[in-house]
Amino acid sequence: MEKLLSFVGRVIFAVPFLLFGANHLMSASAMAPMVPPYVPGGIFWIYFSGAAMVLAALAIITGKQARSACFGLALMLLIFIVTIHFPGLSDPQMKMISMINLLKDTALLGASLFMAGTFKK
């Protein structure tokens, strides 16, 4: 029963990243205006983060390189928090959505670190 719960938990955790990643890859041009002008590279980062999320989700589901994938997700989420969500708090029109995304990504960062701790080295 524990193994089943663990697997179901991994899948439930990973599927949103799979969908977020697929959305980044399929809608990159529509997402491009959301990249802040102070972030160099623009649309490249949308494709890169989309591919990273898809690969991380697959690693977590399969259990192959899952610990590294969780650490990678945690780092990516920290970068999102610091470079996108936190600066967005200074824009009165974006303050609420930035706070929601900051808190969401903070929770996911914590969950990623927790998940990393559940996988063997």
Side-chain angles (χ1 to χ4, degrees), residues 46-71:
I46 296 169
Y47 284 114
F48 181 83
S49 61
M53 285 186 264
V54 168
L55 292 172
L58 294 174
I60 292 165
I61 291 168
T62 63
K64 308 267 189 223
Q65 297 296 318
R67 183 175 169 90
S68 296
C70 288
F71 283 131

Side-chain angles (χ1 to χ4, degrees), residues 15-113:
V15 165
F17 286 106
L18 188 63
L19 297 175
F20 290 152
N23 187 51
H24 276 64
L25 295 172
M26 293 186 303
S27 304
S29 58
M31 296 177 81
M34 293 185 253
V35 177
Y38 53 83
V39 176
I43 200 164
F44 165 79
W45 293 113
I46 296 169
Y47 284 114
F48 181 83
S49 61
M53 285 186 264
V54 168
L55 292 172
L58 294 174
I60 292 165
I61 291 168
T62 63
K64 308 267 189 223
Q65 297 296 318
R67 183 175 169 90
S68 296
C70 288
F71 283 131
L73 279 177
L75 177 62
M76 184 177 67
L77 291 163
L78 179 63
I79 291 169
F80 288 173
I81 290 165
V82 171
T83 63
I84 298 169
H85 306 318
F86 190 72
L89 294 174
S90 63
D91 181 350
Q93 292 179 328
M94 295 300 293
K95 189 173 185 173
M96 183 60 73
I97 193 76
S98 291
M99 180 58 76
I100 291 167
N101 285 322
L102 186 147
L103 294 173
K104 171 191 60 89
D105 283 354
T106 300
L108 288 170
L109 188 156
S112 295
L113 292 174

